[in-house]
Amino acid sequence: MADPDPAAEGRKLSRSFGRLAVLGVLLVVAGLVGLVYTGVATLTSMLLFGWLLLIGGLVGLLHAIESRGTNFFWLGVVVAALNIAAGVVVIHHPHGTAEALTMFAALLFLTGGLFRLVGSVVVRGPQFGWTLLQGAFGLLLGLLVLFDWPHSSLYVLGLFFSLALLFDGLGLIAIGIGGRRIVSLVSDQQAAGELVDTPLGERESRSES
């Protein structure tokens, strides 16, 4: 079995990292568009969430049918049916789902911020100031979302969804560019090592040819 060509492997890795960078650019563009049109981003995220629940429920139902006769058959059927029902509800009522999830997010921010504030005051550990700031920010964010509810449901989830796309895209771009640079450096070092290991006469004949 022939050994793989390092140069060919390097080109494959470079192309793979290049695809990651391109995907990152697409995610960044989608995130920026979502930040401009937060209402559309909210609706899109709800529809994606609904379809994921529906498809996941159907896949779970197929797995449950394949494992019929086991002790977990009915549990799998119930979980799959709940996922399918939830997916259908989310797809048919995305605005109502966005309102419910926004309320849930606001309550999470409130409780998380409150616990961080109380914990930072009681414990007073080495990260006291940072924990106190996190708690105050979470509490303030929860109050802002809650006071503007249900109107906040039109933009809060879309804003979070767009920011997630934006930061994920930036991360993929950094990985893609950094990976291509590393592959290029390794390829250059391998080429330099091969040049050093080549006898002088062979190098002269290569240069003459």
Side-chain angles (χ1 to χ4, degrees):
M1 183 177 179
D3 294 332
D5 185 8
E9 293 296 324
R11 286 192 293 270
K12 289 180 181 179
L13 283 175
S14 183
R15 285 195 295 269
S16 299
F17 283 118
R19 295 189 190 100
L20 279 181
V22 171
L23 178 59
V25 171
L26 294 177
L27 290 180
V28 167
V29 172
L32 292 175
V33 172
L35 290 176
V36 176
Y37 302 100
T38 52
V40 177
T42 298
L43 183 62
T44 303
S45 62
M46 289 298 96
L47 292 175
L48 286 175
F49 180 56
W51 279 108
L52 285 175
L53 285 175
L54 183 60
I55 295 172
L58 292 174
V59 172
L61 184 60
L62 291 176
H63 281 299
I65 293 174
E66 290 178 355
S67 62
R68 59 185 178 275
T70 63
N71 296 328
F72 302 100
F73 170 69
W74 287 110
L75 178 61
V77 170
V78 170
V79 172
L82 289 175
N83 284 334
I84 292 172
V88 172
V89 170
V90 171
I91 292 171
H92 284 282
H93 303 283
H95 296 290
T97 305
E99 291 179 2
L101 290 179
T102 302
M103 173 65 76
F104 182 67
L107 294 177
L108 281 180
F109 287 135
L110 284 173
T111 54
L114 186 61
F115 276 117
R116 282 194 177 93
L117 279 175
V118 174
S120 62
V121 172
V122 172
V123 177
R124 290 184 175 274
Q127 302 293 330
F128 167 73
W130 178 246
T131 307
L132 187 68
L133 181 62
Q134 283 182 317
F137 179 75
L139 190 63
L140 178 62
L141 185 60
L143 290 174
L144 289 175
V145 174
L146 191 61
F147 287 157
D148 198 28
W149 189 87
H151 181 262
S152 58
S153 63
L154 298 176
Y155 59 86
V156 168
L157 297 178
L159 179 64
F160 291 160
F161 181 66
S162 302
L163 287 175
L165 288 178
L166 180 62
F167 287 116
D168 286 345
L170 291 174
L172 288 178
I173 291 174
I175 292 173
I177 294 176
R180 285 176 66 91
R181 288 179 178 175
I182 292 174
V183 170
S184 178
L185 288 174
V186 171
S187 300
D188 291 343
Q189 289 178 356
Q190 287 179 345
E194 291 176 357
L195 184 61
V196 170
D197 294 337
T198 303
L200 180 60
E202 185 175 346
R203 273 184 279 170
E204 290 177 352
S205 62
R206 287 183 181 178
S207 61
E208 291 175 357
S209 59

